[in-house]
Amino acid sequence: MGQANSTVSYRLKSLLDTDLYKFTMQQAVRQHFPDAEGVYRFIHRDKDVFFSRACVEAFERSLIGFKDVSLTSGEKAWLATKCPYLKSDYLDYLERYRFKPDQVSIKFMPVSDDGQYGNIEIEAKGLWMDTILWEVPMMACLSELYFRIDRKDWTYHRQEEIAQQKAEALLQAGCTFSEFGTRRRRSYHTQDLVISSILKATAKLPGKGKVVGTSNVHFAKKYNLTPVGTIAHEWFMGIAAMEGYDNANTRALQLWEQTYPNVLLTALTDTFSTQVFFKEFTQDRDRACRWPSLRQDSGDPLAFAPAAKAMYESIGIDWRTKSIVYSDALTLDKALALKKQCDDLGFICSFGIGTFLTNDFQTKSSGYKEKSRALNMVIKLKSINGKPCVKISDDLEKNTGDPATIEYVKRKYGLAT
């Protein structure tokens, strides 16, 4: 089996084939914590899904090729124009940046009797500002290889049509949305099909809803779209690990504003639970006024807008001037229900839709009637400068990090254990 797949590999086509927030966070890390050492760890949530030895070997081979990818002069010029908040000294750094495959360690742990299927451990270790770029392309690489080598019972049957139908339904409902599907896409080709299909839908339905753009910077350049993204959990996680958990959300927002004083101010609320975030956020009314939007990424999405409304009301801010970005495992039905709720409450809302667009497939053997499951995986910041990083999600099963530190943080914040 390994011999049969010995030539299968994945080629990273561009340094920009990643999500924008990796670049925005890299610039902020480079400014504030240039010497911090980081470790990222792969987490596979589905315990009944295994990788073949051949897939893991192809993954290892593919990552070695990442070292040959660099920012082109054309890409740099485009970033300078399209993303003016990325400063010239950072773009110079990004032009010099090269992936270092020796930062990544991969361990295959067989579980099958023949030793050909098992689990995989992946860690990326080095300067935080360097290792931060591994997450998204590494996940996209592993997902594509898994579906090329291990789970081949699928085709591109009707993918363009289905993606266009989804986009049209969202637009017809007046939804504002972005494509967020890089990390868990079935393939590069899938994301390309999805974005081109979304654009066909917008051409067919002008004036209905709005497509803001895509989180993928490479495809934003290819299709002349706006790259979309701000900040992720790792920013809050890393700062809390280094500087302590007293007002960790506040400190993270302060440092972010120092890098981006007037742009990219969408606050991610659930790193240490939305409950804790709202408590800290309301301590500074001026900051709550400056940040125009909140991002919901775990927990019950229908509970979020009412809670956000109450939070803003408690400090005398008109919630109708604020917006919510929903980005947690969205489907068409979920997005439409949230749009109706926000309309009823008077909130502005938008949606970042990922796996539902770029990895929604059915098996060929079932006549395209049964689901072909996407990989349920994440890569999270494990530690900074040797200190464990944790995430206390609004979904208890999504808590990640050192168990003892998780319990410590829960007790500190008065969260249920």
Side-chain angles (χ1 to χ4, degrees), residues 180 266 293-297 323-327 349-352:
F180 269 26
T266 296
S293 53
L294 306 172
R295 180 154 75 93
Q296 189 275 339
D297 198 52
S323 63
I324 299 172
V325 180
Y326 293 95
S327 60
C349 71
S350 63
F351 305 94

Side-chain angles (χ1 to χ4, degrees), residues 23-257:
F23 295 137
T24 56
M25 288 191 296
Q26 186 182 47
Q27 177 172 249
V29 169
R30 182 171 177 266
Q31 176 181 343
H32 296 291
F33 308 106
D35 299 321
E37 293 281 335
V39 179
Y40 284 84
R41 180 171 65 99
F42 173 80
I43 301 167
H44 189 214
R45 291 175 174 150
D46 285 338
K47 304 306 180 186
D48 61 337
V49 174
F50 302 102
F51 298 93
S52 71
R53 185 181 295 274
C55 178
V56 175
E57 290 173 354
F59 178 62
E60 290 179 303
R61 288 195 304 273
S62 298
L63 293 191
I64 292 171
F66 280 28
K67 68 179 177 12
D68 300 322
V69 178
S70 61
L71 189 72
T72 69
S73 57
E75 290 171 335
K76 182 182 180 183
W78 181 85
L79 281 174
T81 300
K82 200 73 172 182
C83 306
Y85 43 80
L86 297 178
K87 303 179 178 81
S88 59
D89 67 311
Y90 168 70
L91 292 178
D92 289 342
Y93 160 80
L94 194 61
E95 190 174 33
R96 297 189 302 270
Y97 180 89
R98 299 294 185 275
F99 282 105
K100 300 171 184 175
D102 60 359
Q103 291 179 333
V104 180
S105 62
I106 300 168
K107 183 179 180 182
F108 177 67
M109 295 159 293
V111 297
S112 63
D113 291 340
D114 63 2
Q116 295 303 306
Y117 286 88
N119 296 307
I120 182 174
E121 286 185 356
I122 308 167
E123 283 192 351
K125 181 178 182 180
L127 286 176
W128 188 13
M129 68 176 183
D130 289 342
T131 53
I132 198 168
L133 289 194
W134 275 109
E135 175 199 355
V136 175
M138 191 154 60
M139 288 177 66
C141 173
L142 182 58
S143 180
E144 179 160 339
L145 290 171
Y146 175 78
F147 287 106
R148 287 172 62 189
I149 297 171
D150 290 355
R151 292 291 179 268
K152 297 189 284 187
D153 185 15
W154 62 277
T155 71
Y156 289 106
H157 176 67
R158 296 188 62 236
Q159 276 297 306
E160 291 173 278
E161 178 186 349
I162 292 168
Q164 184 171 338
Q165 288 173 350
K166 291 174 181 177
E168 288 179 10
L170 289 163
L171 293 169
Q172 287 280 19
C175 292
T176 297
F177 70 98
S178 300
E179 185 278 321
F180 269 26
T182 305
R183 293 184 302 159
R184 299 183 189 92
R185 69 192 183 196
R186 185 142 301 201
S187 65
Y188 173 94
H189 183 59
T190 301
Q191 192 169 18
D192 202 358
L193 288 181
V194 163
I195 294 174
S196 64
S197 299
I198 289 172
L199 294 178
K200 290 176 185 175
T202 62
K204 183 177 177 180
L205 298 170
K208 297 275 191 178
K210 183 180 180 182
V211 174
V212 177
T214 172
S215 63
N216 186 290
V217 187
H218 166 70
F219 284 118
K221 181 178 184 296
K222 177 176 180 177
Y223 287 102
N224 193 29
L225 295 170
T226 299
V228 179
T230 52
I231 186 171
H233 298 107
E234 64 208 78
W235 177 252
F236 298 85
M237 294 165 66
I239 290 169
M242 285 187 288
E243 302 192 356
Y245 289 89
D246 290 324
N247 297 310
N249 288 297
T250 298
R251 179 65 175 150
L253 297 181
Q254 287 172 339
L255 291 173
W256 190 257
E257 279 193 271

